[in-house]
Amino acid sequence: MSGPDTQTPVGASVFLSLSGLDDLIRSLKQSGYEVVGPTLRQGAICYDRIHAVQDLPRGWTDRQEPGHYRLERREDDACFGYVVGPQSWKQFLFPPMSTVSLAELSTDGWRVTANDGANEPRFAFLGVRACELAAIAIQDRVFQQAAYTDPIYAARRERALLIAVNCTQAAPTCFCESMHTGPRCSSGFDLALTELDDGFIVEVGSQRGATLIATVATVGVTDEQLQWAEERRSGARKQQRQMPRETARDTVLGNLQHPRWSEVAERCLSCTNCTQVCPTCFCSSVHEVTDLDMTRVERERVWDSCFNLEFSYMNGGAVRNSIRSRYRQWLTHKLGSWHEQFGTSGCVGCGRCITWCPVGIDLTEEVVALAGGST
Amino acid sequence: MTTPNAECRSTSGCHVSTVTPANPWAAHSAEIVAIEPDYAGVATYCLRLTDPARAAYTCQPGQFNMLYLPGVGESAISVSGYDAASDAWLHTVRTAGQVTGALERLGPGGKLALRGPFGVGWPLMEILSTSASDAPRDLIFAVGGIGLAPLRMAIEWSIRERAKLGRLTLLYGARTPSTRLYPAQLDDWRQQGIDVLTTVDRFEPGWTGQIGVVPDLIERLKLRPDRTTVLTCGPEVMMRYTARGLIARGVDPSDIWLSMERNMQCAVGFCGHCQLGPTFICKDGPVFRYDRLAPYLDIEDL
Amino acid sequence: MAAKPRLAVFKFASCDGCQLTMLDCEDELLALGELLDIVHFLEASDRAEPGPYDVTLVEGSITTPDDAERIRHIRQQSRYLVTIGACATSGGIQALRNWADHEDFLKAVYASPQYIQSLATSTAIAEHVPVDFELRGCPIDKRQLLDVVQSLLHGRKPHTPSHSVCLDCKRRGTVCVMVAQGIPCLGPVTQSGCGALCPAYDRGCYGCFGPSVQPNLVSLTTQFHATGMATPDIVRGLRLFNAYAPEFRHESERLAGDRARECDAPTAIAEEVQS
């Protein structure tokens, strides 16, 4: 048994019982974290504030197909026996609505106070999947590794504690393996759990994680447990879908006038769902929120989408005035120009855009079609 | 209009590296010192910063500010000069949308805010560094309409640096003779040795100059293509045809620079609105080398 | 001090729900009263001053010959005419009559139908007079209404996005009811404005704010079919509060194979412009 004085080193693993996980959640709350984890809501597994293990979707799993998601009972009581739901951690690091500045009018003129992030919340995320770790790493590049840093994202990100969970199964919509973003959590976490029947193998990923796991009772892992964990994790490698990772970039950028764009536009609703569920999409708009006499004005940043006609509006009209051009913008950005902008694909293979498209458009299918293959 | 003597505050001739604001959402307080009408619907707003952080503000030719009218919104406007007498940064604005409309209604003394400067300006340092004493660089400024505004500080810079540069040529196309921007300054520049060629789309009584579009002016230019750098700003179609015309005359595509425009909201590459191909117009531009952008300019709705 | 702008509110064929939304503004209404002189708003007060008006809000659709005349008079008296709500912007639920025989309705409802003067169609205000701004919704959203009034006062463009309800669902964290529960939902083709209310309560969107910009109706109804929804049900879904909005109307007619009656006064705007 390890106590506070004998911390588990980074890279090492310990065994945490189910009640130990409860203690861990309590410990996080006592340390001032808002603990966010998976929980059942509206027929799906959503990330929300949780207080104890009983808030987790125990015994539930998800069944996913293009345009289709259903909850189902599992045969066991697993806490993390599902894949990914409609939301990602983007919801918390890059919130759908946030105030970026406040302008106040006095006789001297306008005084603008920018949000410096000081009051942003401190989250502990429980249940971050490998593809989601990859997505967070990508948004890190977008919001804090260029010339400017977004103060809201940076503050939330810096404070956030990431407890990852290795997948033990894959949905038919998953393709993280082909994107090299999963299914195994390899880096970017403070702790990573693999769920067994009676508890969790906990891998320590950072000093912060080591300090945290030392606050609860754990025991050493046996070789047998490590082997079970490996077997469990292998279940997530059976993935039906694939993205041609090496060629997708050239395929989308090299076929800007391909007739397939018009074909997919026949189906695409331009409803923005794919961009909103995508854990890396970062487009936003800023609106003025005023009081009636316009002396106190907040600037509110809200999630937006390249699928909106207004998104590319300039004096004189919208640049992308058709669903065809907007779908093309999304896919060529996600799989193509993202590389040039951020040194990585914008896709992590989580499959959310496939599941949550109301008409089930599958980007892996579109890439194959653009490359000239049959679908 | 009285043309303010625009000059850069930075000591090294506008080439100081931009001070990156710690917080992209921070804004300077500003007031309208004066409004110089240019022609119908276009005016130059002289904006003085009034907040304590104003001393840190400086900008390079070709960069832009987000003019912020709280409650109305923001508009990306390039900086067209600095007037030392009034300590004001000049912004030549066409009243087109709601922000510029509200700016017009504010009038002199009006209060607003301003974020910036943003973006990458004209490659003036690069031009100087490749301008050898035995083969100095020739500069062509190819301008359509209000596109003269983002180039004004660059033209003034070229006059200051003219000992190190070769021939300076301004090709300027406007709709009509009376919608030429900064007409007094055009004469001034002529006297300072810039070859100013103007053309208009539509004749007006008294006009004895050329009628036509900017690319037409290229045909009669005396060019030394191997030592020519082109800075162009105007409608996208005008810039495209200008670039093609100059390339046909032997100018290297990598020696042509253009200034682009798109919907911009954050100005720092976070909001996604201004993308064109792999570029964010706001932070990778607005000034781009033509050969890097050319593949994306010809595709409709990109 | 300059006189405050004069605001008037008028009602045509409607349920008064949009005017109630105005009353629901409560605190803001008092503040509005500071900025505007509300000179005609019968739902709230018996003050009924004649025009001219600076801002006129019009609720309801045109369903009678008298109304068709009255709206012309109101237009003449109004500097800015803003229509509020689904009835005024697309004809409302009562536009269902446009696919039926209103004479039959009259006979069925009234003992002496010969005394009833009624048009064969229910149509949007904009089909009769020029409209400066159309505010969607059944009922309208109070934040959007306040924004429109405020915008007019400050000479800026109202902020009424044209995107789909889906974006609002995602912003507020609502799970897609279509994907997760198989509930047919018009959200992907409906304009935002309500704050994505119904899906948050596990109901599909009813399309209260009318078609979003460039909606892909054919793809969505094809998906409805694929998930087992019968054509008459899809048609009924499209023929609700905004049945006569062009995009919803054309899709329901494509599916049903019928055609609605055209507006009773199709030349009204042309005449207005000429006069």
Side-chain angles (χ1 to χ4, degrees):
Chain A
M1 171 122 14
S2 61
D5 300 327
T6 55
Q7 281 197 357
T8 311
V10 172
S13 294
V14 291
F15 180 81
L16 179 74
S17 67
L18 191 60
S19 67
L21 182 62
D22 230 2
D23 294 339
L24 188 73
I25 295 171
R26 203 172 303 119
S27 173
L28 284 165
K29 286 170 67 71
Q30 280 165 2
S31 308
Y33 285 101
E34 281 186 45
V35 185
V36 182
T39 190
L40 292 181
R41 180 158 58 79
Q42 274 200 295
I45 291 165
C46 296
Y47 298 144
D48 219 329
R49 269 75 174 173
I50 58 163
H51 306 283
V53 163
Q54 66 177 22
D55 294 331
L56 300 175
R58 292 194 68 190
W60 287 96
T61 191
D62 46 17
R63 189 159 49 84
Q64 303 192 40
E65 293 288 347
H68 187 90
Y69 177 102
R70 289 293 183 280
L71 286 178
E72 277 179 3
R73 290 301 304 195
R74 289 174 63 91
E75 287 173 0
D76 60 21
D77 273 340
C79 296
F80 302 99
Y82 58 91
V83 183
V84 287
Q87 292 161 348
S88 66
W89 308 98
K90 174 172 94 171
Q91 206 94 12
F92 302 94
L93 294 175
F94 168 49
M97 288 188 203
S98 50
T99 302
V100 296
S101 66
L102 166 70
E104 292 163 296
L105 183 64
S106 71
T107 49
D108 296 337
W110 287 100
R111 193 167 65 91
V112 177
T113 313
N115 184 347
D116 60 3
N119 296 320
E120 297 299 324
R122 190 162 172 242
F123 293 113
F125 298 151
L126 174 61
V128 185
R129 304 295 185 170
C131 60
E132 298 178 322
L133 290 170
I136 291 169
I138 289 173
Q139 286 216 324
D140 286 351
R141 294 184 186 212
V142 173
F143 286 122
Q144 49 182 27
Q145 289 173 17
Y148 295 86
T149 293
D150 183 70
I152 297 166
Y153 182 90
R156 288 172 173 239
R157 177 73 174 95
E158 200 276 326
R159 288 164 204 179
L161 194 117
L162 272 53
I163 304 176
V165 170
N166 283 300
C167 285
T168 52
Q169 66 195 71
T173 45
C174 291
F175 55 99
C176 65
E177 186 141 80
S178 64
M179 292 306 296
H180 300 191
T181 52
R184 177 82 198 258
C185 299
S186 55
S187 66
F189 53 82
D190 295 298
L191 297 174
L193 316 185
T194 302
E195 186 166 17
L196 302 180
D197 287 340
D198 52 348
F200 308 90
I201 304 296
V202 182
E203 187 185 341
V204 178
S206 72
Q207 191 49 52
R208 196 145 57 155
T211 307
L212 172 66
I213 199 66
T215 63
V216 296
T218 55
V219 293
V221 286
T222 64
D223 288 346
E224 200 177 25
Q225 284 174 326
L226 287 174
Q227 195 184 328
W228 286 340
E230 190 54 49
E231 280 167 22
R232 290 285 172 99
R233 286 193 296 262
S234 69
R237 294 217 299 274
K238 302 182 192 91
Q239 299 187 357
Q240 295 174 18
R241 276 186 168 68
Q242 285 169 10
M243 174 68 78
R245 178 174 171 270
E246 304 301 328
T247 55
R249 177 185 186 176
D250 290 344
T251 298
V252 293
L253 291 178
N255 288 289
L256 295 174
Q257 306 286 23
H258 199 286
R260 182 71 182 192
W261 300 116
S262 299
E263 290 163 34
V264 71
E266 298 277 305
R267 296 174 65 208
C268 174
L269 301 168
S270 206
C271 63
T272 78
N273 275 313
C274 50
T275 56
Q276 304 304 292
V277 296
C278 176
T280 68
C281 272
F282 57 86
C283 285
S284 65
S285 283
V286 177
H287 303 308
E288 306 293 301
V289 182
T290 66
D291 59 358
L292 272 175
D293 61 359
M294 291 242 292
T295 56
R296 191 176 185 284
V297 181
E298 286 185 346
R299 305 201 80 208
E300 184 180 67
R301 176 171 69 184
V302 292
W303 285 358
D304 205 338
S305 171
C306 55
F307 279 97
N308 286 333
L309 180 69
E310 290 169 331
F311 190 75
S312 65
Y313 187 83
M314 292 202 300
N315 291 322
V319 174
R320 297 182 204 103
N321 194 13
S322 64
I323 295 181
R324 171 185 178 272
S325 59
R326 295 197 291 276
Y327 187 89
R328 183 179 66 185
Q329 167 62 21
W330 178 65
L331 201 68
T332 54
H333 184 216
K334 183 71 44 188
L335 301 175
S337 45
W338 209 293
H339 284 277
E340 199 163 324
Q341 293 172 350
F342 304 109
T344 170
S345 171
C347 177
V348 295
C350 71
R352 284 185 179 87
C353 59
I354 304 173
T355 299
W356 297 97
C357 172
V359 296
I361 295 172
D362 175 354
L363 80 171
T364 65
E365 223 174 67
E366 296 311 308
V367 171
V368 170
L370 286 164
S374 58
T375 53
Chain B
M1 78 174 237
T2 54
T3 310
N5 177 25
E7 66 176 9
C8 237
R9 266 209 297 208
S10 61
T11 49
S12 55
C14 301
H15 316 303
V16 291
S17 63
T18 312
V19 180
T20 301
N23 188 326
W25 303 109
H28 292 285
S29 305
E31 69 178 344
I32 303 174
V33 178
I35 302 175
E36 316 276 4
D38 290 303
Y39 52 85
V42 176
T44 297
Y45 293 76
C46 309
L47 306 180
R48 180 163 55 209
L49 307 185
T50 57
D51 61 311
R54 67 182 180 275
Y57 184 94
T58 186
C59 81
Q60 301 174 59
Q63 285 192 303
F64 65 96
N65 287 322
M66 298 300 286
L67 302 191
Y68 176 33
L69 277 69
V72 184
E74 286 189 332
S75 188
I77 306 288
S78 65
V79 184
S80 58
Y82 172 69
D83 178 48
S86 60
D87 184 22
W89 294 92
L90 313 188
H91 299 74
T92 301
V93 180
R94 174 186 291 136
T95 304
Q98 51 177 334
V99 175
T100 50
L103 185 68
E104 187 178 271
R105 286 191 296 276
L106 269 185
K111 312 286 192 196
L112 66 157
L114 173 159
R115 293 193 298 128
F118 292 115
V120 179
W122 302 106
L124 306 183
M125 279 303 271
E126 189 177 319
I127 291 167
L128 267 198
S129 68
T130 54
S131 191
S133 54
D134 56 338
R137 297 296 294 181
D138 294 344
L139 279 186
I140 296 174
F141 304 97
V143 181
I146 199 170
L148 189 55
L151 268 167
R152 178 158 70 174
M153 287 204 294
I155 295 170
E156 284 158 349
W157 164 87
S158 72
I159 292 170
R160 285 200 302 279
E161 300 286 351
R162 71 152 309 128
K164 300 174 197 157
L165 297 167
R167 294 181 200 147
L168 304 179
T169 309
L170 169 60
L171 312 177
Y172 185 34
R175 289 249 167 83
T176 61
S178 56
T179 58
R180 283 174 306 149
L181 214 49
Y182 322 135
Q185 210 162 12
L186 292 177
D187 293 338
D188 191 37
W189 290 340
R190 234 177 233 122
Q191 283 170 14
Q192 309 236 31
I194 297 189
D195 193 10
V196 180
L197 306 175
T198 53
T199 181
V200 297
D201 294 347
R202 282 199 313 275
F203 172 81
E204 276 174 4
W207 179 251
T208 55
Q210 172 112 355
I211 294 181
V213 293
V214 170
D216 297 342
L217 297 175
I218 292 165
E219 288 161 24
R220 63 177 210 208
L221 273 184
K222 275 189 206 151
L223 274 177
R224 297 186 287 197
D226 54 322
R227 59 162 83 169
T228 295
T229 296
V230 182
L231 308 183
T232 179
C233 186
E236 231 169 280
V237 62
M238 167 255 157
M239 294 193 289
R240 268 185 5 230
Y241 280 98
T242 299
R244 282 181 197 170
L246 287 159
I247 291 165
R249 297 277 319 269
V251 177
D252 195 295
S254 66
D255 287 325
I256 301 173
W257 299 77
L258 70 173
S259 181
M260 294 291 293
E261 193 180 1
R262 280 292 182 276
N263 180 335
M264 292 183 201
Q265 298 216 350
C266 72
V268 295
F270 291 160
C271 77
H273 285 258
C274 68
Q275 290 179 83
L276 173 61
T279 68
F280 292 94
I281 301 293
C282 68
K283 67 165 184 169
D284 302 325
V287 174
F288 291 92
R289 218 172 78 180
Y290 176 77
D291 58 326
R292 291 182 181 148
L293 216 52
Y296 312 105
L297 290 176
D298 289 337
I299 296 169
E300 207 181 335
D301 298 345
L302 195 65
Chain C
M1 185 187 155
K4 288 190 272 191
R6 289 159 59 83
L7 176 92
V9 184
F10 289 97
K11 169 196 157 64
F12 288 80
S14 60
C15 73
D16 291 28
C18 294
Q19 294 186 73
L20 285 174
T21 302
M22 262 197 90
L23 291 175
D24 189 34
C25 292
E26 295 180 354
D27 295 349
E28 296 95 332
L29 201 58
L30 290 175
L32 269 189
E34 299 286 310
L35 302 169
L36 287 159
D37 202 2
I38 303 175
V39 298
H40 188 290
F41 185 12
L42 294 178
E43 181 98 5
S45 146
D46 54 9
R47 189 176 175 193
E49 290 185 16
Y53 312 110
D54 294 297
V55 180
T56 300
L57 304 179
V58 176
E59 178 196 81
S61 66
I62 301 300
T63 57
T64 70
D66 282 353
D67 281 353
E69 269 313 303
R70 189 160 62 97
I71 191 60
R72 286 158 171 260
H73 177 71
I74 290 170
R75 172 71 267 190
Q76 283 165 359
Q77 295 294 312
S78 306
R79 190 160 156 234
Y80 288 108
L81 192 149
V82 177
T83 54
I84 57 170
C87 301
T89 57
S90 76
I93 187 85
Q94 60 273 26
L96 287 177
R97 74 160 71 164
N98 303 358
W99 286 276
D101 186 344
H102 89 301
E103 299 290 344
D104 284 352
F105 287 167
L106 287 177
K107 284 178 208 149
V109 174
Y110 296 101
S112 308
Q114 67 272 24
Y115 299 116
I116 304 299
Q117 287 242 312
S118 163
L119 299 172
T121 56
S122 168
T123 45
I125 300 297
E127 300 230 20
H128 300 266
V129 297
V131 168
D132 297 300
F133 190 81
E134 291 190 315
L135 189 61
R136 306 266 199 93
C138 183
I140 53 167
D141 175 77
K142 91 178 199 186
R143 287 156 300 182
Q144 287 200 341
L145 175 68
L146 287 168
D147 181 65
V148 166
V149 172
Q150 216 179 344
S151 300
L152 286 173
L153 289 173
H154 293 106
R156 64 177 159 96
K157 209 174 87 190
H159 176 64
T160 47
S162 60
H163 62 67
S164 74
V165 170
C166 299
L167 182 57
D168 286 345
C169 270
K170 294 297 180 285
R171 283 177 184 164
R172 67 183 281 174
T174 299
V175 178
C176 180
V177 297
M178 202 167 147
V179 171
Q181 300 184 55
I183 298 170
C185 178
L186 287 176
V189 294
T190 297
Q191 180 168 303
S192 133
C194 60
L197 201 55
C198 291
Y201 296 93
D202 295 325
R203 308 292 294 263
C205 168
Y206 293 95
C208 299
F209 278 67
S212 54
V213 67
Q214 297 182 351
N216 190 342
L217 267 303
V218 175
S219 176
L220 186 65
T221 59
T222 304
Q223 183 70 10
F224 288 163
H225 273 136
T227 52
M229 201 176 175
T231 300
D233 294 333
I234 299 173
V235 171
R236 268 195 293 279
L238 291 169
R239 290 185 185 169
L240 278 173
F241 318 110
N242 288 286
Y244 208 60
E247 293 91 342
F248 286 180
R249 173 188 165 191
H250 292 143
E251 179 61 6
S252 76
E253 291 178 349
R254 186 185 73 86
L255 292 169
D258 64 357
R259 289 292 302 274
R261 200 171 285 115
E262 293 301 327
C263 173
D264 275 345
T267 55
I269 291 177
E271 287 168 14
E272 188 80 19
V273 171
Q274 282 160 12
S275 66

